[in-house]
């Protein structure tokens, strides 16, 4: 079994059944993995669930994606797992605290990534083939997407974003979309002097101040 970093926001972060679980017995899970020197980063793994009586055990645990560990500062782990209607696995990965990695396409921090169940990269991801860019990236400019899901009727991807100081946001996430962090917090300036990624910043669908609630 993998070692889990269970400090602060760390721990076992999400678990989802494989779309073909009845036949495959596979589960997919995300956890905070220790990387030494009191640091950790998100890791996504798959394993076969073998049932034993009322419980079970995991076999053939395989890490399919590792986030880069933080260079300094804290990490918003994020790490929500959702299977799209087409069977692709979408993973929300958090940004470094008060850093600018969410606009950096050479990093998976502050991104929603899209992979096959075995960790390979779909050829129609928006940045596949771009030099110096992580091909897993589906959207970027996220601080910490806390929950997201696909609308069953339209197929749209809706994401709830945990803000920094003042705002909570809901986004309609588009392929290749830039959602502004840490240049913006929602539709409001946060560090406007910082450079942005290669695509325009898209607005939030809904915003709520922290006086209403947190972790939308």
């Amino acid at each position: 079994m993998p070692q889990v970093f269970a400090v602060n926001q760390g721990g076992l972060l999400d678990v989802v059944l494989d779309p073909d679980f009845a036949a495959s017995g596979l589960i997919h899970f995300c956890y905070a993995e220790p990387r030494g020197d009191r640091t950790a980063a998100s890791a996504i793994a798959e394993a076969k669930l073998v049932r034993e009586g009322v419980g079970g055990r995991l076999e053939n645990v395989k890490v399919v994606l590792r986030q880069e560990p933080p260079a300094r500062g804290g990490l918003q782990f994020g790490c929500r797992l959702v299977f799209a209607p087409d069977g692709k696995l979408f993973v929300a990965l958090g940004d470094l605290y008060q850093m600018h990695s969410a606009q950096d396409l050479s990093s998976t921090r502050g991104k929603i990534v899209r992979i096959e169940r075995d960790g390979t990269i779909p050829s129609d991801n928006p940045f596949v083939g771009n030099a110096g860019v992580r091909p897993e990236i589906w959207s970027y400019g996220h601080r910490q997407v806390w929950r997201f899901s696909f609308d069953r009727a339209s197929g749209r991807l809706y994401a709830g974003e945990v803000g920094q100081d003042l705002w909570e946001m809901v986004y309609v996430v588009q392929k290749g979309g830039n959602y502004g962090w840490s240049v913006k917090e929602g539709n409001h300036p946060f560090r406007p002097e910082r450079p942005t990624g290669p695509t325009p910043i898209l607005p939030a669908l809904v915003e709520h101040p922290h006086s209403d609630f947190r972790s939308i």
Side-chain angles (χ1 to χ4, degrees):
M1 291 296 296
Q3 187 177 3
V4 176
F5 181 86
V7 178
N8 297 327
Q9 297 183 30
L12 177 63
L13 302 170
D14 202 8
V15 180
V16 66
L17 299 181
D18 190 85
D20 194 29
F21 175 75
S24 70
L26 292 176
I27 66 168
H28 306 265
F29 57 99
C30 183
Y31 62 99
E33 182 182 53
R35 302 290 177 85
D37 193 26
R38 301 181 183 179
T39 64
S42 299
I44 296 89
E46 69 169 22
K48 184 175 180 64
L49 177 62
V50 179
R51 298 179 181 179
E52 293 181 338
V54 297
R57 57 186 169 81
L58 298 181
E59 290 186 346
N60 303 323
V61 177
K62 174 188 174 185
V63 174
V64 299
L65 179 67
R66 281 187 167 96
Q67 189 181 30
E68 317 92 272
R72 63 183 186 277
L75 184 69
Q76 311 293 340
F77 288 104
C79 221
R80 174 73 167 167
L81 305 177
V82 174
F83 277 103
D86 66 358
K88 302 295 191 292
L89 180 59
F90 282 68
V91 184
L93 295 170
D95 188 25
L96 280 172
Y97 177 69
Q98 293 285 20
M99 299 296 287
H100 192 50
S101 49
Q103 293 291 320
D104 178 6
L105 295 187
S106 69
S107 168
T108 60
R109 303 183 194 118
K111 312 297 191 298
I112 292 177
V113 303
R114 176 179 181 253
I115 57 176
E116 302 287 357
R117 284 176 269 185
D118 62 359
T120 56
I121 311 300
S123 60
D124 59 343
N125 273 7
F127 302 107
V128 166
N130 291 14
V133 174
R134 291 292 296 261
E136 301 96 335
I137 294 171
W138 183 258
S139 63
Y140 67 103
H142 299 289
R143 179 179 180 270
Q144 172 142 288
V145 170
W146 181 237
R147 293 289 184 267
F148 68 97
S149 59
F150 289 91
D151 182 81
R152 294 179 182 179
S154 68
R156 292 190 185 97
L157 177 56
Y158 291 93
E161 180 90 57
V162 176
Q164 169 71 29
D165 292 336
L166 299 173
W167 298 95
E168 301 282 305
M169 296 73 68
V170 175
Y171 292 110
V172 177
V173 176
Q174 301 178 21
K175 179 179 181 179
N178 178 5
Y179 295 91
W181 180 255
S182 60
V183 177
K184 286 188 170 185
E185 183 184 25
N187 298 328
H188 308 271
F190 185 78
R191 295 288 186 270
E193 73 281 1
R194 291 177 170 176
T196 62
T199 59
I201 293 174
L202 301 175
L205 176 68
V206 174
E207 290 184 307
H208 284 279
H210 278 165
S211 57
D212 287 348
F213 43 71
R214 299 184 181 225
S215 298
I216 192 167

